[in-house]
């Protein structure tokens, strides 16, 4: 596939994140107006309820709400129909250019909001290098857990803590215990970390008690966002046995503001790696489930003029795909809902410049790393701004996600 | 407190589950009518939207929806006001008896539905005997995990799998591995189990980033239900390291149909036990957080005329209260929502006749137990019906929950 040219000319730059090939879905507001659905095209946003009201879309009331769940719930045929309609509308030579022009607003004046109402949030652990690194750091051995090559290991997280890029997060308080201490203590985490992930958004659900195949799961996935699964390593380390992460992961999960659809990403599908052990048949699929998406982590301390690139890797490094994860999630009869969010698990490549968490990058603080400012870091300091970036590179065009950015504020005093 | 007499005379029996002192909140339907909010009184249900429309309640549109979340979201003052109004309305000598009588429908003709829309579901592990038993069975030692005496250990579950009593559940398929097998296999669980729990319902939420105290958490809890946290022990055993239970717990969680309010239970408050290690100050509270609620588990095989009582215990056996759990849940900044459901953790007393799971009762199948029919069980067979019961006993009255009952159906064939 090559660039599809738009009459919104800013969209035709080969490096622009939002060409006509992308058409990501977000929610925006201008000034004090109510948030509403919008589609990014070049430097502009198409105001979806306004375009719908003008008769340009033909999509009923799916855009009367400030989230994309109603469209998601309409299913894959509707998704394809809308995308085709938007492509026609915004393509060079469109007969509707004059009518549509008033419904474009500059991204520079818009505030972005959560693009979906998250029903439930599940986080996985599907990166092999990350699993080996965490084993080596936490349990003294890079050997994978016994189930890891058979199960897309996951755990349930908190939907109430998922926020959009640009939302500041306070350093969390919590309970932790130093290895040499007799008693635990309570206070701000000293090991605040990121996890570089891709979030898959379930578009259509499945009923409780109706298992699905991987291919069915693939068709249920509406799109993807960048996802930063904030982690407090000291809180997590003390709490996680025997029932898994809880408060060490509950204070925030940040997603990028634009949902990049599975359809936009389809030219970039990539296979999962050769299996070290054959998967059980229920995890078989006929499609490549990963995507070739370049990813980057950046850190900018308070007062610094530029951010330091900490890591560059690719989503095609993962061992399990989102459709395999979704199938495994539902296979025992767990109902899945439109708006469910699945975190891929931390994406780390084989070398430290590809690690997707600071825990790995600083090897649990034993090997602090340098920023471009000359400062060193093992974990995140108050005032640091962390950014995730992601883009698939096509022939003369780019499908990017928009930055996933968060500034960390000091911990609340407790009791408040 | 003693019995408050009602003009609904069936409510005045000392053993009746739903006297005027109780007034539990549910959702019911008659025939093909839409489900609506109702309050149990004796053998009857007060139709709340009908009573509201007749001007008997003065509560706006809180009952225009088929769940109690709108009332819950109005907060503790509204909860107390409604309860006082209902008590007046249904008490012996009420001036409104004639007006209200047409709005009573017999429970015997009603179908009960989920009383709330569950926002998110969290399950805890707060019973010491259960934690010791599971350690002994699974890890060869009854020693508690290092954090257990300091943290109300919990993990996030699936809200989409929470169903009301009376909903059949299929035996789940899943991945498991026998200890002596080289490879895992996929199929129906062979170790299907219950967990006897009490579910606390969060009535008013708290914003992300705003920690709460235990006393504040106590005021946020609207009421309680019985909760059966269905567990597939072989699936759980294979999957749970290192990130905790996932598909072994995701196929169903059953709650009793009536929300018994914290206010109705207040005469039965009971202290948490003497702490073996002092809790960190953020977990301090000024109120007794447990309740004296007698609990029972019953099993009835297909075709049997009566159920066998497997276990009798009490919620006052727990180590952590729901308000301590809720405080711990929110203390790092995790936002909590109206409609969040918190499972207490399995409630087991010190002897096998008080154990709240079959895993404990049959000691992982090593000690099968007998039913009154003469059959033996280690875990649940297809066709078995499991019931949880709970009641607080007052002076001449009972505050009961209504049965929490489920029949287990055979596993689905996969792929479906």
């Amino acid at each position: 596939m090559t660039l599809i040219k738009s009459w919104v000319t800013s969209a035709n730059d080969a490096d622009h994140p939002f060409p006509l090939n992308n058409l990501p879905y977000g929610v925006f507001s201008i000034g004090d107006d109510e948030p509403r659905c919008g589609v990014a095209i070049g430097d502009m946003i198409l105001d979806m309820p306004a375009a719908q009201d003008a008769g340009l879309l033909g999509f009923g009331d799916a855009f009367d709400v400030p989230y994309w769940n109603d469209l998601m719930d309409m299913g894959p045929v509707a998704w394809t129909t809308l995308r085709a309609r938007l492509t026609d509308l915004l393509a060079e030579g469109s007969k509707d250019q004059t009518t549509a022009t008033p419904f474009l607003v500059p991204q520079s004046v818009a505030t972005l909001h959560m693009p979906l109402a998250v029903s439930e949030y599940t986080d996985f652990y599907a990166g092999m290098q990350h699993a080996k690194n965490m084993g080596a750091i936490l349990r003294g051995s890079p050997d994978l857990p016994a189930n890891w090559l058979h199960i897309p290991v996951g755990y349930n997280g908190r939907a109430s803590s998922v926020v959009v890029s640009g939302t500041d997060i306070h350093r969390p308080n919590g309970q932790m215990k130093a290895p040499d201490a007799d008693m635990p203590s309570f206070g701000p985490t000293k090991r605040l970390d990121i996890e570089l992930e891709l979030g898959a958004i379930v578009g259509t659900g499945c009923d409780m008690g109706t298992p699905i195949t991987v291919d069915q799961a693939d068709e249920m996935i509406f799109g993807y966002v960048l996802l930063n699964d904030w982690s407090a390593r000291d809180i997590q380390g003390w709490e996680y046995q025997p029932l898994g992460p809880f408060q060490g992961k509950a204070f925030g999960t940040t997603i990028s503001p634009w949902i990049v659809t599975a359809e936009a990403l389809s030219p970039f599908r990539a296979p999962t790696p050769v299996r070290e052990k054959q998967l059980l048949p229920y995890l078989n699929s006929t499609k490549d489930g990963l995507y070739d998406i370049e990813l980057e982590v950046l850190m900018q301390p308070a007062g610094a003029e530029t951010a330091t690139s900490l890591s560059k890797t690719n989503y095609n490094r993962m061992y399990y795909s989102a459709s395999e994860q979704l199938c495994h999630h539902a296979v025992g009869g767990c109902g899945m809902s439109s708006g469910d969010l699945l975190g891929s698990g931390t994406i780390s490549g084989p070398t430290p410049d590809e690690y997707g968490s600071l825990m790995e990058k600083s090897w649990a603080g034993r090997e602090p790393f340098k920023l471009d400012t000359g400062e060193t870091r093992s974990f995140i300091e108050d005032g640091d701004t962390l950014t995730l970036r992601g883009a698939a590179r096509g022939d003369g065009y780019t499908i990017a996600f928009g930055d996933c950015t968060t500034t960390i504020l000091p911990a609340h005093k407790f009791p408040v």
Side-chain angles (χ1 to χ4, degrees), chain A:
Chain A
M1 183 175 270
T2 55
L3 176 74
I4 311 170
K5 283 201 170 180
S6 172
W7 52 264
V8 182
T9 52
S10 58
N12 298 334
D13 181 333
D15 293 324
H16 199 290
F18 307 128
L20 189 48
N21 305 55
N22 192 346
L23 293 177
Y25 299 152
V27 169
F28 75 103
S29 64
I30 307 288
D32 293 333
D33 286 358
E34 290 292 309
R36 52 197 187 275
C37 290
V39 176
I41 176 73
D43 295 340
M44 310 298 281
I45 301 171
L46 179 68
D47 181 327
M48 289 296 282
Q52 170 65 22
D53 288 350
L56 287 172
L57 300 176
F59 250 81
D61 56 5
F63 312 113
D64 287 355
V65 288
Y67 38 78
W68 283 81
N69 298 59
D70 285 15
L71 186 272
M72 285 155 52
D73 211 25
M74 293 168 76
V77 173
W79 308 344
T80 299
T81 304
L82 177 66
R83 185 171 165 80
R85 177 67 200 122
L86 288 167
T87 303
D88 281 352
L89 182 68
L90 297 167
E92 226 176 39
S94 165
K95 67 178 174 48
D96 293 319
Q97 177 175 347
T98 310
T99 321
T101 298
F103 308 131
L104 291 172
V105 296
Q107 285 170 33
S108 57
V109 301
T111 302
L112 297 177
H113 304 268
M114 277 290 288
L116 77 158
V118 178
S119 301
E120 299 194 62
Y121 167 51
T122 309
D123 194 32
F124 287 87
Y125 190 58
M128 186 184 286
Q129 185 67 47
H130 174 70
K132 287 182 172 177
N133 287 346
M134 294 303 271
I137 293 167
L138 295 177
R139 294 178 286 276
S141 162
D143 292 349
L144 294 166
N147 54 21
W148 200 91
L149 292 171
H150 304 281
I151 292 180
V153 171
Y155 65 98
N156 299 295
R158 268 306 281 196
S160 63
S161 297
V162 181
V163 294
V164 72
S165 172
T167 309
D168 296 336
I169 289 182
H170 288 267
R171 177 180 299 275
N173 290 300
Q175 203 181 121
M176 59 202 84
K177 191 176 93 62
D180 55 348
D182 287 337
M183 284 282 289
S185 61
F186 180 87
T189 175
K190 297 179 181 74
R191 296 191 154 206
L192 181 58
D193 199 356
I194 57 155
E195 290 195 340
L196 167 64
E197 303 194 20
L198 201 68
I201 293 167
V202 177
T204 52
C206 59
D207 290 336
M208 184 175 159
T210 56
I212 53 172
T213 64
V214 177
D215 283 351
Q216 287 171 324
D218 189 80
E219 296 191 354
M220 290 161 60
I221 296 173
F222 179 66
Y224 293 84
V225 288
L226 302 174
L227 186 149
N228 187 346
D229 184 46
W230 296 95
S231 301
R233 300 297 181 190
D234 38 13
I235 297 171
Q236 185 184 349
W238 171 230
E239 76 183 355
Y240 91 111
Q241 285 292 6
L243 298 184
F246 189 50
Q247 293 311 290
K249 300 276 195 171
F251 57 95
T253 301
T254 307
I255 64 170
S256 54
W258 297 104
I259 302 171
V260 176
T261 62
E263 206 170 339
L265 288 169
S266 62
F268 306 97
R269 279 188 179 261
T272 45
V274 174
R275 302 303 177 175
E276 299 194 11
K277 302 216 177 179
Q278 195 176 355
L279 294 179
L280 285 165
Y282 79 95
L283 287 171
N284 288 347
S285 61
T286 62
K287 282 187 186 173
D288 288 343
L290 297 177
Y291 295 93
D292 178 0
I293 301 171
E294 298 170 8
L295 299 163
E296 185 175 13
V297 179
L298 302 105
M299 178 186 261
Q300 184 164 351
E305 300 217 336
T306 57
T308 301
S309 176
L310 297 185
S311 182
K312 288 184 180 180
T313 186
N314 195 302
Y315 177 61
N316 64 19
R317 295 288 195 194
M318 300 306 274
Y319 195 81
Y320 292 103
S321 69
S323 44
E324 289 165 346
Q325 291 167 335
L326 178 54
C327 166
H328 179 74
H329 206 331
V331 80
C334 179
M336 302 300 300
S337 309
S338 182
D340 281 344
L341 176 65
L342 312 184
S344 60
T346 307
I347 305 164
S348 288
T351 53
D353 56 347
E354 288 203 33
Y355 289 173
S357 73
L358 306 188
M359 186 76 167
E360 295 165 87
K361 187 150 183 87
S362 73
W363 213 251
R366 283 166 243 167
E367 299 168 18
F369 53 87
K370 268 211 164 176
L371 303 181
D372 296 346
T373 56
E375 297 169 78
T376 58
R377 284 287 185 282
S378 289
F379 293 96
I380 297 167
E381 305 285 336
D382 290 348
D384 287 350
T385 296
L386 276 293
T387 295
L388 310 184
R389 262 179 208 155
R393 308 283 173 190
D395 179 10
Y397 71 100
T398 303
I399 302 282
F401 285 78
D403 287 357
C404 181
T405 297
T406 310
T407 300
I408 293 298
L409 303 181
H412 288 288
K413 289 220 162 64
F414 185 87
V416 289

